[in-house]
Amino acid sequence: MGTQVDQEKLKAMAAELAEDIKSEKDLGALTQQLVKLTVETALNAELDEHLGYEKHALEGRGTGNSRNGYSAKRLKGQHGEVPIQAPRDRDGSFEPQFVRKGQSRLTQMDDQVLALYAKGLSTLRKPLKVATHSM
């Protein structure tokens, strides 16, 4: 992907996801799942960048700081409350930028998500995978 989102890939994903949408409630649930997936993926990519290695990478052993599980967090926004798992590091030096510590409202989330996709998810090391079975 370049600097723009691959419209054909997005259309294909949207068509596949739309097969399971039967009501407005289904659309709302899908939207919340996409926000959750996007936020968690971005936070994990930020932690990879902060630590200097990907999860389970051998070069992370003995570095003095490592992943330390997740903290449950609820983000409130135009799509309702979205529960996420925010990653932590052992020494507490990780300061996420996508969703900051203590932030509970998604006031600018649409802009942040669009900016992330506009970059082609270039900061993420692994592509997002969409399940092919019904949700």
Side-chain angles (χ1 to χ4, degrees):
M1 274 194 219
T3 58
Q4 292 188 342
V5 177
D6 185 334
Q7 293 297 316
E8 292 304 314
K9 285 183 183 178
L10 285 176
K11 285 179 184 178
M13 286 174 41
E16 185 176 333
L17 292 171
E19 292 174 4
D20 295 325
I21 297 174
K22 307 292 185 227
S23 68
E24 195 173 320
K25 184 178 179 180
D26 292 344
L27 180 60
L30 174 62
T31 302
Q32 285 185 331
Q33 290 173 347
L34 289 173
V35 168
K36 175 183 174 61
L37 179 65
T38 302
V39 169
E40 289 178 347
T41 302
L43 291 174
N44 281 303
E46 282 187 349
L47 184 58
D48 286 352
E49 181 70 26
H50 172 73
L51 294 174
Y53 61 91
E54 293 183 27
K55 189 173 187 176
H56 304 299
L58 293 176
E59 62 263 27
R61 296 192 187 272
T63 60
N65 193 13
S66 59
R67 287 163 179 74
N68 192 27
Y70 296 87
S71 294
K73 187 172 189 168
R74 290 194 154 303
L75 300 176
K76 301 171 193 140
Q78 65 188 29
H79 304 295
E81 283 193 7
V82 178
I84 66 163
Q85 294 294 314
R88 300 184 308 234
D89 65 336
R90 191 157 300 279
D91 70 10
S93 61
F94 176 52
E95 293 289 337
Q97 301 302 303
F98 195 70
V99 176
R100 297 181 184 275
K101 286 183 180 179
Q103 180 180 346
S104 63
R105 302 212 56 80
L106 298 176
T107 55
Q108 298 176 349
M109 185 54 63
D110 289 338
D111 292 339
Q112 290 175 343
V113 169
L114 289 174
L116 182 66
Y117 283 106
K119 290 181 181 177
L121 299 174
S122 62
T123 59
L124 305 180
R125 294 196 168 102
K126 297 177 185 168
L128 299 176
K129 294 184 180 177
V130 178
T132 57
H133 58 282
S134 62
M135 291 182 200

